[in-house]
Amino acid sequence: MTTGFEDAGDSAGSGDSGCSGDSAGSGDLGDADLARLAALHGVATSYSPAPGRTVAVPASAVVAALAALGVDAAAPGAVRTALAARERELRERLLPPTVVHWAGDPQGPTALAALPPGTRLRVETEDGEEREAAEGLPLGVHRVTAVAPDGRTGHAHLVVAPDRLPAPPGRSYGLLVQLYSLLSRRSWGMGDLGDLAELAGWAGRTAGAGFVQVNPLHAAVPGAPTDPSPYRPSSRRFPDPVHLRIEAVPEFAHVEGRERLSALLERAERLRAAVLDKGALIDRDAVWDLKREALELVLAVPLGPGRQAAYDDFRAAHGQALEDHATWYALAETHGSDWHHWPDELRDPRSAATARARTDLADRVAFHTRLAWLTDDQLRGAQRVASEAGMPVGIVHDLAVGVHPAGADAWAQQDVFAAGTSVGAPPDAFNARGQDWGLPPWRPDRLAATGHAPYRDLLRALFRYAGALRIDHVMGLFRLWWVPQGSPPTEGTYVRYDAEAMLAILALEATRAGAVVIGEDLGTVEPGVRETLQRRGVLGTSVLWFERDWDGDGRPLPPDRWRADCLATATTHDLPPTAARLTGDHVDLRARLGLLTRPAAEERAEATADTAEWLALLGSLGLVDRAAAGPPGTDEEEEIRAVHRFLLRTPARLIGVWLPDGVGDRRPQNLPGTWDQYPNWRLPIADREGRPVPLEELTALPRLSALLAVFTQFAGVSATAMGPRARALPGGSLT
């Protein structure tokens, strides 16, 4: 997740979410029946924040989680009734809702092997083909019907998945950037998809980069002020049109009202200049107001036959989900951006009143449908540019862990979201109060009943334009910490998901797209999760400052002991840039904002010692060019290059360079624990003096060229002659 570390936990599990979960004795809650009922629904009654330590969760959290799953456990009698019903259901059913078959497993699914002798199977494949057996099925999500000799009938979704996700095509490095922060002299006050394509084309052709990773580009909840966090979107399935390069829309050239369009372009120039030349913060609301006005003109231009056919294909591919998405935005223009406050009859996306409103607002629905298509088209264009520039991976998109409770997805998919709860994290060593991210979780039982259709559709939509996908808080494929509404995060509990099904569907859709998947697994994770993810081909995330020998002496972890199946970086959007870490500026910033929990002198001393240990290791490995640098701590540029030479020494399959590190930016893009005290998600990339650096200047900076030369030189080619055929980086060695 985007805020801090996660907890350690008890053993990882997989299988049907309805019958897996953290076991607990009656002593945890003082009620054996409630503990048993919770376990049968995948609700934890305790968790382990550290090895050898178990914490019981409040009974109120268990009762609330069960209520969100449609199970009444408010009184002892209700618990007994629900427990009897659940045990009877599990005893009598032939199949769980979802069954997984890994293509390389000769044994086949256990659930099918456990059927009573004489059970007849009928399979309807994803393509509609009827079969009498489950053997030899193609990859896909199929429907299985089982009829037992005693007349019982069972139905299940059968996921046939490849054993592993696609691996990166060789070892490569890439750039990490928050797209809104990457302004060019052509963008309208914040970075856009034209800037992304330009960066990818430049980085691939001249610097040998294999990928560019960006923040989530999901559709935001409209309204001023808009929540600037890209991790609280209105919809994860559809992208945000605020990222459109307006001039790149083909119909832009045929707008009739040129005077009005020219006035908008002049306003865009002033908005851009305010950020780049006058030190203003990025104002997403102002950018969107301007772009929306321009798009009203652009979308008035009729589509040509070929464009119309492409648009029709897009609408057919996304069907009802696209219609719901556009309808929500049309209704939000009239009734506000929180559907909970709409007229009662419009809160149901399937009501007759909503159908009438969709007809009455047909023009606005069509407008928002077109916006989704245009944005999808430019996203696919950016990936195409990256591929043509020789990038073996291309654009790495980021999947947020959830959606805003007031937004389009929460409205359209009410049946699969758990009402009255939100996702967060329990207390840990870094946050004693726990965390509540304000994102409603999916109900695992409803996901399973649909064959995880919302999840499948989400992945397919993202993989349309992603060379790779980063999954925020990838541990959420296994379990999530549910916080009951009105309770502090300390009074939540874990709810288990069908991790095997989630991973199988991820493997299936990633394979179909030929895309790599990176899991954000920072912090401590419950035992078995990283091993399971690695076995299935999901890369992890390793950040230099956290890679220490935690099971030994606690010192920085030597490069040869790093894991290979990961994206290795020096920092992230939630952490200080490397220059700030090396100079201690990050401590000064938190001290100025009153965020320190200890005296500033103690924090500075600890930060200085931490940095000194890493610099000592870099020096002992000969990674600091002392001919180019002065005494330790006096040449931050050389030390930043040394940090990245260290990353090259690790066996990591992918290495990420935080783009602001290439210009000396000292400001984090997001400072967890702050809201209005710090301009989170609103800062343009700037140099060490805080002067914004547009894309055109950034790509010509000697400092950035010197940093990227660390990778191009050790790939055996000149930093200025890196071409599409010279992509591979050395594994584990600089020689």
Side-chain angles (χ1 to χ4, degrees):
M1 183 53 187
T2 59
T3 50
F5 292 78
E6 305 311 325
D7 63 291
D10 33 25
S11 59
S14 60
D16 172 24
S17 63
C19 57
S20 65
D22 305 276
S23 62
S26 59
D28 291 331
L29 296 175
D31 186 334
D33 287 342
L34 180 58
R36 174 68 177 155
L37 178 65
L40 292 179
H41 284 279
V43 178
T45 54
S46 65
Y47 69 98
S48 299
R53 180 169 174 251
T54 300
V55 177
V57 301
S60 59
V62 175
V63 171
L66 288 169
L69 293 170
V71 179
D72 182 4
V79 170
R80 289 191 293 272
T81 299
L83 179 58
R86 182 61 171 167
E87 289 177 333
R88 182 171 60 253
E89 174 194 347
L90 296 176
R91 186 171 57 249
E92 294 178 355
R93 77 180 186 185
L94 283 178
L95 292 169
T98 304
V99 176
V100 171
H101 173 52
W102 298 100
D105 181 4
Q107 301 300 319
T110 302
L112 297 185
L115 290 169
T119 298
R120 291 182 292 110
L121 287 180
R122 186 176 72 255
V123 180
E124 180 182 354
T125 69
E126 201 173 59
D127 296 330
E129 179 186 353
E130 295 280 348
R131 297 199 182 188
E132 295 299 321
E135 290 80 19
L137 289 172
L139 298 179
V141 181
H142 315 299
R143 289 284 293 167
V144 175
T145 300
V147 181
D150 61 7
R152 286 180 298 153
T153 301
H155 303 278
H157 294 88
L158 174 60
V159 183
V160 181
D163 286 343
R164 288 178 58 83
L165 284 81
R171 192 173 190 235
S172 63
Y173 90 100
L175 303 177
L176 316 178
V177 64
Q178 300 283 287
L179 179 56
Y180 59 83
S181 72
L182 182 72
L183 281 76
S184 71
R185 291 293 180 186
R186 295 182 178 179
S187 48
W188 291 23
M190 62 182 281
D192 61 31
L193 293 173
D195 297 322
L196 177 59
E198 291 285 355
L199 179 68
W202 171 81
R205 294 181 186 278
T206 70
F211 60 92
V212 174
Q213 178 180 303
V214 295
N215 54 286
L217 303 183
H218 310 316
V221 177
T226 301
D227 186 338
S229 172
Y231 291 92
R232 282 171 56 82
S234 173
S235 173
R236 295 190 294 173
R237 177 162 176 174
F238 296 101
D240 198 324
V242 75
H243 300 112
L244 283 169
R245 171 65 64 85
I246 303 297
E247 297 92 328
V249 177
E251 288 72 38
F252 176 88
H254 305 287
V255 171
E256 292 184 356
R258 304 310 295 185
E259 300 84 2
R260 187 176 169 193
L261 201 56
S262 295
L264 291 174
L265 290 172
E266 290 177 4
R267 288 168 55 194
E269 184 176 355
R270 291 196 297 271
L271 197 57
R272 176 174 60 245
V275 177
L276 291 178
D277 303 326
K278 299 179 181 179
L281 295 175
I282 291 169
D283 187 341
R284 185 193 179 283
D285 294 328
V287 173
W288 176 235
D289 286 345
L290 196 57
K291 288 191 175 183
R292 182 180 57 218
E293 192 173 343
L295 286 164
E296 298 283 0
L297 298 175
V298 172
L299 268 62
V301 177
L303 295 174
R307 294 271 290 165
Q308 184 66 52
Y311 178 44
D312 292 343
D313 283 350
F314 179 80
R315 287 189 296 171
H318 292 282
Q320 185 68 54
L322 177 60
E323 188 169 301
D324 287 343
H325 177 80
T327 299
W328 184 91
Y329 277 87
L331 288 170
E333 290 178 343
T334 302
H335 300 287
S337 57
D338 186 346
W339 61 271
H340 298 92
H341 299 152
W342 293 356
D344 289 348
E345 62 273 15
L346 296 179
R347 297 178 194 175
D348 179 0
R350 301 291 165 258
S351 71
T354 299
R356 288 193 298 272
R358 184 180 291 119
T359 300
D360 294 341
L361 298 171
D363 289 347
R364 301 312 299 164
V365 172
F367 177 75
H368 291 286
T369 303
R370 279 270 296 273
L371 294 186
W373 171 59
L374 292 175
T375 314
D376 177 273
D377 186 56
Q378 289 195 9
L379 283 162
R380 288 186 293 113
Q383 174 62 12
R384 186 165 54 249
V385 168
S387 179
E388 291 172 353
M391 286 189 168
V393 176
I395 310 299
V396 182
H397 285 279
D398 199 346
L399 173 60
V401 72
V403 297
H404 198 290
D409 282 3
W411 174 75
Q413 300 176 8
Q414 293 173 55
D415 55 329
V416 294
F417 281 104
T421 63
S422 61
V423 177
D428 57 30
F430 300 91
N431 194 323
R433 294 188 297 270
Q435 300 173 60
D436 184 348
W437 302 327
L439 310 170
W442 270 335
R443 284 181 54 164
D445 58 330
R446 294 281 174 82
L447 282 180
T450 64
H452 295 78
Y455 174 61
R456 280 187 283 142
D457 293 341
L458 170 62
L459 292 177
R460 287 177 183 173
L462 294 172
F463 281 135
R464 282 173 59 90
Y465 45 75
L469 185 65
R470 174 193 180 269
I471 299 181
D472 189 37
H473 189 67
V474 72
M475 296 81 80
L477 299 181
F478 295 77
R479 64 179 187 175
L480 285 170
W481 182 258
W482 286 19
V483 181
Q485 189 173 18
S487 297
T490 52
E491 296 180 10
T493 189
Y494 276 113
V495 175
R496 180 74 62 185
Y497 289 78
D498 188 343
E500 186 176 34
M502 301 283 270
L503 282 173
I505 291 167
L506 181 61
L508 173 65
E509 298 302 338
T511 298
R512 285 171 164 171
V516 176
V517 174
I518 303 162
E520 185 268 292
D521 58 351
L522 297 177
T524 49
V525 186
E526 61 174 327
V529 167
R530 282 199 177 107
E531 292 79 5
T532 299
L533 293 171
Q534 181 184 34
R535 185 169 69 253
R536 295 303 177 192
V538 178
L539 300 182
T541 301
S542 294
V543 179
L544 181 126
W545 307 101
F546 304 148
E547 291 297 314
R548 287 177 171 269
D549 185 7
W550 299 115
D551 296 326
D553 58 14
R555 297 184 67 80
L557 199 65
D560 60 335
R561 292 180 56 192
W562 284 43
R563 53 181 170 170
D565 295 325
C566 74
L567 165 66
T569 71
T571 190
T572 74
H573 58 269
D574 279 331
L575 297 172
T578 307
R581 178 80 68 166
L582 291 170
T583 59
D585 283 6
H586 64 304
V587 177
D588 295 339
L589 172 61
R590 295 183 67 83
R592 288 196 302 273
L593 297 176
L595 300 176
L596 300 182
T597 57
R598 297 183 297 170
E602 290 184 23
E603 293 278 356
R604 290 191 186 95
E606 183 176 293
T608 299
D610 179 75
T611 301
E613 284 191 330
W614 278 104
L615 290 176
L617 177 58
L618 299 180
S620 69
L621 295 172
L623 299 178
V624 181
D625 184 352
R626 287 301 173 201
T634 62
D635 188 342
E636 74 175 45
E637 290 190 43
E638 174 54 24
E639 288 169 354
I640 290 173
R641 291 192 289 269
V643 163
H644 290 84
R645 293 186 190 110
F646 178 92
L647 295 178
L648 268 173
R649 279 275 183 99
T650 74
R653 301 291 297 274
L654 300 176
I655 300 171
V657 178
W658 180 237
L659 189 57
D661 277 351
V663 300
D665 202 340
R666 282 161 163 70
R667 309 162 307 166
Q669 283 292 315
N670 178 48
L671 190 59
T674 63
W675 178 243
D676 55 1
Q677 309 100 309
Y678 186 80
N680 295 318
W681 318 113
R682 288 173 287 172
L683 293 172
I685 294 176
D687 62 19
R688 61 184 298 169
E689 282 77 36
R691 183 185 67 85
V693 182
L695 176 62
E696 294 87 349
E697 292 181 24
L698 185 148
T699 54
L701 284 178
R703 176 168 179 158
L704 178 60
S705 297
L707 177 57
L708 300 188
V710 167
F711 298 92
T712 55
Q713 288 168 355
F714 289 118
V717 294
S718 163
T720 58
M722 190 71 174
R725 291 190 298 274
R727 295 287 171 235
L729 293 175
S733 173
L734 294 180
T735 58

